[in-house]
């Protein structure tokens, strides 16, 4: 960008520098003033007169306009980049991204139920404070066809309103979301997950204010249990339609 600005500035400077007029040319000019004056009347209003001076002015004007436009665009881009770098950014992740797995214990008569819970960490990874205002999250069990046909726009239900929770850069808070509609899986449901016929899916959104503007972060995490070891250790991975995974 600076390279083009320098070239444009140099061209503009050259076109603005007047050429020196020899003394002999001044004497000749006085002798032909009458003829030049008559010719000037004929060329009046014609921007492309025979000496080309009209085209020179047009080119200078275009270059000046181009220079100002390029400079203005560069300034706006710099301002946008600066604001983006300094703003707050909220993210939602599993509280233990490495090696974290859900509890897949089947129901057992007489045994107290153990909650199957998705434990999320909500963190400000930006450079300015964030005022969290609303949060919503769901953790569900879907078969393969249900997951492949998720609504384009996620249904979060009722969003939880917060009293403008303030998170400084690097600060976070936990969120535990039990599996819905029941927190304990049957033996059949666990087998379906292990054979990749159904999936555990967590999706959430958080609304907050950063630098006076409303912002939102959405995430979707799927828990597959693929057969074999080609996919590595089973764990939650980002997945879902675009509307389930975006931030602004």
């Amino acid at each position: 960008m600076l390279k083009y600005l320098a070239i444009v500035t140099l061209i503009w400077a050259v076109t603005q520098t007047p050429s020196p007029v020899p003394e002999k040319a001044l004497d000749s000019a006085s002798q032909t003033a009458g003829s030049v004056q008559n010719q000037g009347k004929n060329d009046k209003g014609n921007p492309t007169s025979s000496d080309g001076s009209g085209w020179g002015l047009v080119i200078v004007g275009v270059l000046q306009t181009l220079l100002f436009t390029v400079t203005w665009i560069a300034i706006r881009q710099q301002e946008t980049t600066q604001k983006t770098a300094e703003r707050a950014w909220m993210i939602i992740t599993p509280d233990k991204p490495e090696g974290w797995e859900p509890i897949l214990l089947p129901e057992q008569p007489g045994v107290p139920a153990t909650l199957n819970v998705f434990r999320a960490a909500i963190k400000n990874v930006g450079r300015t404070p964030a005022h969290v205002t609303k949060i919503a999250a769901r953790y569900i069990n879907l078969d393969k066809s249900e997951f492949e046909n998720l609504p384009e726009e996620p249904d979060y239900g009722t969003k939880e309103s917060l009293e403008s929770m303030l998170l400084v850069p690097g600060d976070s808070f936990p969120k535990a979301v039990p599996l819905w509609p029941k927190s304990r899986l049957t033996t059949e449901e666990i087998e379906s997950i292990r054979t990749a016929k159904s999936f555990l899916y967590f999706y959430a959104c958080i609304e907050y204010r950063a630098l006076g503007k409303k912002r939102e972060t959405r995430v979707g995490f799927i828990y597959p249990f693929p057969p074999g070891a080609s996919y590595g250790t089973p764990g939650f991975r980002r997945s879902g339609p675009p509307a389930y995974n975006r931030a602004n």
Side-chain angles (χ1 to χ4, degrees):
M1 180 66 72
L2 295 177
K3 176 181 178 181
Y4 293 119
L5 287 176
I7 294 175
V8 172
T9 303
L10 178 61
I11 295 174
W12 176 80
V14 171
T15 57
Q16 294 297 302
T17 304
S19 301
V21 181
E23 295 182 359
K24 293 183 178 180
L26 293 177
D27 295 337
S28 299
S30 61
Q31 296 176 1
T32 59
S35 60
V36 171
Q37 184 176 4
N38 292 333
Q39 183 179 359
K41 290 181 180 180
N42 295 331
D43 291 339
K44 185 177 181 181
N46 182 7
T48 57
S49 56
S50 59
D51 61 358
S53 59
W55 278 116
L57 293 175
V58 171
I59 294 174
V60 170
V62 171
L63 291 176
Q64 287 179 332
T65 302
L66 178 61
L67 175 62
F68 295 149
T69 301
V70 171
T71 303
W72 180 82
I73 293 175
I75 292 174
R76 293 293 297 174
Q77 289 179 341
Q78 185 177 6
E79 290 177 352
T80 301
T81 302
Q82 185 70 17
K83 289 180 179 179
T84 301
E86 293 180 354
R87 57 160 287 193
W89 282 97
M90 298 299 302
I91 62 171
I92 306 172
T93 61
D95 63 351
K96 295 180 181 179
E98 298 297 333
W100 187 85
E101 295 185 37
I103 298 174
L104 297 177
L105 298 177
E107 296 176 328
Q108 297 181 14
V111 177
T114 301
L115 294 180
N116 190 330
V117 177
F118 186 97
R119 302 185 182 278
I122 301 170
K123 184 177 182 179
N124 179 4
V125 296
R127 297 184 180 181
T128 56
H131 296 266
V132 181
T133 56
K134 291 183 180 181
I135 185 173
R138 282 190 169 182
Y139 182 35
I140 56 180
N141 184 19
L142 302 173
D143 62 35
K144 187 175 182 179
S145 62
E146 289 174 328
F147 176 73
E148 292 176 348
N149 293 282
L150 281 170
E152 292 184 3
E153 190 66 23
D155 178 14
Y156 297 105
T158 302
K159 295 182 179 181
E160 177 185 355
S161 297
L162 304 175
E163 293 295 331
S164 187
M165 178 188 295
L166 177 65
L167 291 182
V168 299
D171 200 3
S172 64
F173 69 94
K175 180 70 174 178
V177 183
L179 184 65
W180 185 89
K182 56 187 180 67
S183 62
R184 199 174 179 94
L185 299 167
T186 64
T187 302
E188 291 76 18
E189 289 172 334
I190 293 176
E191 181 63 22
S192 180
I193 292 172
R194 292 185 184 277
T195 56
K197 294 179 181 178
S198 62
F199 307 90
L200 298 177
Y201 191 59
F202 171 85
Y203 61 107
C205 74
I206 182 169
E207 297 179 6
Y208 62 101
R209 295 194 310 274
L211 297 178
K213 292 186 177 182
K214 292 183 179 181
R215 304 289 184 180
E216 183 184 56
T217 296
R218 297 181 180 185
V219 297
F221 287 94
I222 190 173
Y223 180 82
F225 203 105
S230 60
Y231 294 93
T233 304
F236 279 97
R237 297 172 175 83
R238 290 288 291 271
S239 186
Y244 290 68
N245 294 273
R246 71 185 187 196
N248 60 28

